[in-house]
Amino acid sequence: MTSLYNKIAKLRAQIRYHNYMYYTLDSPVISDDIYDQLCTELIQLEKIYGIKNSFNKSNKLLQQIGGKKLNIFSECIHKTPMLSLKSTNNISDIKFFKQYIKKYIDNINDIKYYCDLKIDGLAVNLLYKNGLLISASTRGDGYVGEDITRNIYVISSIPKKLIGNNIPKVIEIRGEVFIKKSDFFTLNQLAISRNKKIFSNSRNAAAGSLRQLNPDIVKQRKLMFFVYGCGAFISDKKTYSHDERLTQIKKWGFSIHRDYLVCSATKDIIKFYNKIYYNRSKLDFEIDGIVIKIDSVVLQKKIGYAEKYPRWAIAVKFFSLDVETKIIDVSFQIGRTGIITPVAHFIPVNISGVIISKASLHNISMIKKLNICINDYVTVYRAGDVIPKIRNVLINKRDKLVKKIIFPLHCSSCNSLLLHSSNHISLYCPSSFLCPAQNLQRLIYFASKFGIYIKGLGKKNIIKLINHGYLFTPIDFFMLTVDKLQSIPGIGKKLSYKIINNISYSKNVRLDQFICSLGILDVGVSISKILANYYKSINSFLDTNFFILSGIKGIGVNISHSIIKFIKNKNNIDIILKLINILNIFHISE
Ligand code: IVH
């Protein structure tokens, strides 16, 4: 049960961090899909554990666990909530969507669907009363957004006054603000020439622009706006379909992208999806899929809403595009466990709005498998729409200029002879704490949440302590004093006392945490737990041998080799024995 609670706490912390990155800084580091997965997992675990749900009744998106808005703009309450969309990555899921709708209406045969582009911009709500733009706000948490009226005023594709007939008493126009690919490129070129930070994608550029305090700067950013729907709609003239509404909205002076389709047959929806999927690179703005909506407003009402999204719509998201580029170099990075990771550097490319210039090649075996050389042309993609990966080498384009990748013989940090890992897929540096590059990563890991967790001692301060000659091995954490810490620029008196206090707190450490903190190759959180449950004390763990280890359920031959290599290394064992004297290592059986 404790580990379940820890998992919940960890998930909440993760979501809090991503909420901060998304809502506060406009700089998401994970895709919406992965974010949704984290939320779903949290809801499930909270149910199992039977503790207070992180979502409130109206399902305000994890408000109490983060997602604060920067207090620059005032709040603006939406008249009707701005919900999210249920999404899938697979167009054939359309059949499940249809089955799902069948639960709410009897005859789905003649239903019309409105299919349009899922624009990858920033959702905005525009409130018009008697034809005049009254306020504009961001989506925020779906219920309350930020008032960005002043900035919206300078976007030329947004009318300040509706023109034409049948002007409604009240209407909330909903759509996406975005930057064209070409304008995004120019914006980043300008930032580079002025030595300023570039935007990682056009969505962040649009979001960052809308939150500018100076509307003149917003104007220069050339923001655009496409309508995709509406919220509150109070009018004497009734409209019965989404299509009818958008046609009317267009007549009032808004832009609606021409690529949309109203149809009934599944085959037509799939045709529309394919057409957009294969032609998306021709569009001068980013899209990340298509949206399929029930066209009839009456049926939309009948089918209704789930907590976070309307039941009458679904987004079908695209897989990341493959983009061609050229390998410029391959570098070899040394990690915490000594494993050498080859990294391919290529001519920077823009994949679904993000500029990427390198991708991990994981290990020597992958280099051989891909048959990759420097100067080769390759296709790259973003796995799960996030992590850059090399799909394959375009062997047909290979020319005489290609150079074979030479694997290093020695560690670039400590010059030790590199060895082959027991599974023969990687090279590693065996010098453990004696290798400066590896030692830095080891010390960071030792003090992190995966290790003994010394609050306040992160990467930045650890580097400073190493540079000041106060930190060589993990033992030195316990030799730190307030005076030593205070002598380091950026660590004041108050923080020094806090860190010293946290260091003494971290001396009480669970056996599994301690084993994990050592950074043994292939021994992470879960393997450390298996080992702690088996050996129950640090001394019996250190007394073990290969045969006992490899007989433990969950510990294979390779892991056993890594452990034996590590604990039979004289320098490592010296450090471990000194740590045992300093720490109070205890075990709680699970
Ligand atoms: S319909 C009730 N249509 O995608 C929700 N949304 O991931 C109705 N989006 O919050 C939304 N293009 O900001 C709809 N053609 C489109 C869209 C679209 C982009 C955004 C919208 C929504 C988000 C959900």
Side-chain angles (χ1 to χ4, degrees):
M1 243 9 198
T2 335
S3 71
L4 182 61
Y5 188 79
N6 286 344
K7 214 165 170 190
I8 291 175
K10 213 164 136 191
L11 266 173
R12 283 179 172 172
Q14 266 178 299
I15 293 171
R16 197 179 296 129
Y17 167 74
H18 291 302
N19 283 351
Y20 176 74
M21 295 307 284
Y22 186 96
Y23 290 113
T24 310
L25 298 186
D26 289 323
S27 293
V29 285
I30 53 170
S31 68
D32 293 355
D33 282 355
I34 295 176
Y35 177 84
D36 287 347
Q37 275 170 26
L38 291 177
C39 292
T40 313
E41 199 183 341
L42 178 61
I43 293 173
Q44 281 164 355
L45 290 184
E46 284 175 338
K47 246 186 214 157
I48 297 169
Y49 201 80
I51 56 171
K52 197 171 171 277
N53 203 315
S54 288
F55 291 83
N56 69 14
K57 267 194 199 124
S58 51
N59 213 36
K60 264 190 170 183
L61 189 66
L62 290 156
Q63 269 262 296
Q64 61 271 55
I65 64 162
K68 286 202 191 84
K69 295 175 280 311
L70 286 175
N71 277 337
I72 299 172
F73 300 94
S74 55
E75 290 194 335
C76 197
I77 302 170
H78 309 313
K79 285 193 176 298
T80 50
M82 288 182 85
L83 298 179
S84 188
L85 278 171
K86 204 173 162 63
S87 74
T88 169
N89 279 112
N90 193 342
I91 185 62
S92 33
D93 283 350
I94 185 73
K95 58 177 180 284
F96 298 119
F97 176 59
K98 287 190 167 183
Q99 273 167 18
Y100 177 68
I101 289 167
K102 224 176 176 176
K103 286 205 270 182
Y104 301 92
I105 38 180
D106 310 325
N107 183 6
I108 63 158
N109 290 339
D110 299 324
I111 287 186
K112 278 193 182 144
Y113 298 90
Y114 185 100
C115 311
D116 61 356
L117 308 181
K118 187 166 184 312
I119 298 145
D120 198 11
L122 195 82
V124 163
N125 187 42
L126 309 171
L127 175 66
Y128 289 83
K129 283 188 180 165
N130 299 317
L132 291 181
L133 177 60
I134 301 296
S135 69
S137 54
T138 59
R139 177 170 176 243
D141 62 9
Y143 297 82
V144 183
E146 286 173 321
D147 189 325
I148 48 161
T149 316
R150 264 160 52 90
N151 288 346
I152 287 295
Y153 256 88
V154 299
I155 301 178
S156 54
S157 50
I158 296 182
K160 296 6 154 215
K161 188 174 185 287
L162 306 185
I163 46 167
N165 304 324
N166 306 317
I167 304 291
K169 285 194 188 82
V170 175
I171 188 163
E172 284 182 312
I173 298 282
R174 303 245 161 112
E176 296 276 303
V177 167
F178 62 95
I179 291 188
K180 286 204 291 196
K181 285 180 193 168
S182 45
D183 291 330
F184 169 63
F185 182 74
T186 317
L187 189 67
N188 269 351
Q189 291 292 101
L190 198 73
I192 291 167
S193 70
R194 290 180 179 166
N195 231 349
K196 291 205 167 146
K197 212 178 128 204
I198 59 163
F199 289 105
S200 64
N201 59 44
S202 57
R203 186 198 202 186
N204 291 350
S209 303
L210 273 186
R211 298 170 116 209
Q212 283 288 327
L213 291 176
N214 181 353
D216 289 340
I217 298 181
V218 186
K219 199 167 182 180
Q220 288 161 19
R221 299 278 170 92
K222 296 191 181 159
L223 296 170
M224 309 277 293
F225 182 72
F226 278 140
V227 180
Y228 60 68
C230 55
F233 190 0
I234 307 172
S235 172
D236 292 336
K237 172 138 194 318
K238 291 271 165 276
T239 40
Y240 299 97
S241 75
H242 188 74
D243 187 22
E244 208 183 326
R245 282 188 169 176
L246 288 200
T247 308
Q248 175 62 80
I249 288 170
K250 194 172 175 188
K251 285 185 189 152
W252 289 329
F254 288 94
S255 309
I256 285 152
H257 196 264
R258 60 175 181 277
D259 277 332
Y260 74 90
L261 176 77
V262 184
C263 64
S264 286
T266 305
K267 69 171 184 357
D268 292 331
I269 298 178
I270 295 175
K271 227 163 134 185
F272 176 77
Y273 169 89
N274 285 331
K275 181 184 121 188
I276 304 298
Y277 182 81
Y278 290 109
N279 290 296
R280 66 198 261 221
S281 58
K282 291 181 195 150
L283 293 169
D284 194 16
F285 56 92
E286 297 291 347
I287 58 169
D288 57 348
I290 63 160
V291 184
I292 303 162
K293 303 162 202 173
I294 301 281
D295 190 44
S296 156
V297 177
V298 182
L299 288 182
Q300 283 181 5
K301 277 204 185 115
K302 204 167 167 192
I303 298 166
Y305 297 82
E307 281 178 299
K308 272 172 75 180
Y309 49 82
R311 291 198 194 97
W312 44 263
I314 189 165
V316 186
K317 290 203 183 174
F318 293 147
F319 288 106
S320 170
L321 278 177
D322 280 19
V323 176
E324 194 178 315
T325 184
K326 188 180 181 182
I327 302 289
I328 310 167
D329 197 6
V330 171
S331 64
F332 294 88
Q333 291 177 357
I334 176 156
R336 168 177 55 85
T337 57
I339 288 287
I340 308 290
T341 307
V343 177
H345 300 259
F346 40 78
I347 295 174
V349 281
N350 185 325
I351 303 190
S352 25
V354 178
I355 295 159
I356 56 165
S357 57
K358 57 183 181 183
S360 171
L361 288 169
H362 299 288
N363 46 50
I364 46 176
S365 132
M366 180 164 171
I367 292 184
K368 285 180 186 156
K369 220 191 260 154
L370 275 171
N371 178 19
I372 192 170
C373 293
I374 294 166
N375 289 331
D376 257 339
Y377 290 89
V378 293
T379 49
V380 293
Y381 69 106
R382 290 173 63 209
D385 251 349
V386 185
I387 300 155
K389 291 220 160 141
I390 292 183
R391 173 99 58 201
N392 48 33
V393 177
L394 303 170
I395 298 288
N396 294 344
K397 287 188 103 172
R398 184 171 273 180
D399 57 31
K400 282 184 231 137
L401 295 173
V402 292
K403 285 191 277 180
K404 270 194 97 156
I405 295 166
I406 313 282
F407 300 122
L409 292 175
H410 295 96
C411 171
S412 60
S413 177
C414 67
N415 211 30
S416 299
L417 193 68
L418 298 179
L419 304 178
H420 282 272
S421 62
S422 37
N423 55 9
H424 288 279
I425 62 170
S426 304
L427 285 172
Y428 77 98
C429 164
S431 295
S432 193
F433 294 101
L434 296 175
C435 165
Q438 208 180 133
N439 194 35
L440 167 66
Q441 304 298 335
R442 285 185 175 277
L443 290 170
I444 294 169
Y445 192 74
F446 181 81
S448 77
K449 285 183 183 163
F450 300 104
I452 68 161
Y453 190 31
I454 306 173
K455 227 174 151 187
L457 268 189
K459 184 176 175 178
K460 233 166 69 188
N461 286 335
I462 288 177
I463 292 176
K464 285 184 192 169
L465 287 167
I466 293 174
N467 291 342
H468 276 73
Y470 292 146
L471 199 55
F472 297 99
T473 74
I475 303 155
D476 301 320
F477 282 116
F478 306 97
M479 306 299 150
L480 290 172
T481 60
V482 169
D483 284 348
K484 280 185 187 172
L485 285 166
Q486 266 195 110
S487 70
I488 289 174
I491 306 186
K493 191 172 167 187
K494 212 170 142 192
L495 183 59
S496 303
Y497 274 101
K498 250 192 193 162
I499 293 175
I500 292 297
N501 202 27
N502 294 341
I503 291 176
S504 63
Y505 185 74
S506 68
K507 281 185 184 169
N508 289 315
V509 56
R510 278 196 333 262
L511 178 60
D512 61 298
Q513 267 181 301
F514 179 70
I515 295 175
C516 195
S517 77
L518 298 173
I520 305 170
L521 176 61
D522 296 329
V523 180
V525 177
S526 55
I527 297 291
S528 299
K529 281 198 175 127
I530 297 177
L531 294 168
N533 280 329
Y534 185 85
Y535 292 102
K536 303 200 165 39
S537 83
I538 187 66
N539 288 329
S540 78
F541 171 61
L542 296 177
D543 281 345
T544 194
N545 61 40
F546 178 81
F547 296 102
I548 298 179
L549 268 168
S550 52
I552 303 172
K553 198 174 167 212
I555 312 287
V557 173
N558 290 333
I559 299 177
S560 304
H561 271 301
S562 307
I563 295 172
I564 293 298
K565 256 186 213 154
F566 191 88
I567 60 175
K568 299 298 169 205
N569 174 301
K570 178 156 180 342
N571 186 58
N572 290 347
I573 204 72
D574 279 353
I575 292 173
I576 296 172
L577 293 178
K578 282 184 187 144
L579 284 172
I580 294 175
N581 273 333
I582 298 169
L583 302 172
N584 168 32
I585 304 170
F586 61 93
H587 176 61
I588 308 173
S589 297
E590 276 198 4

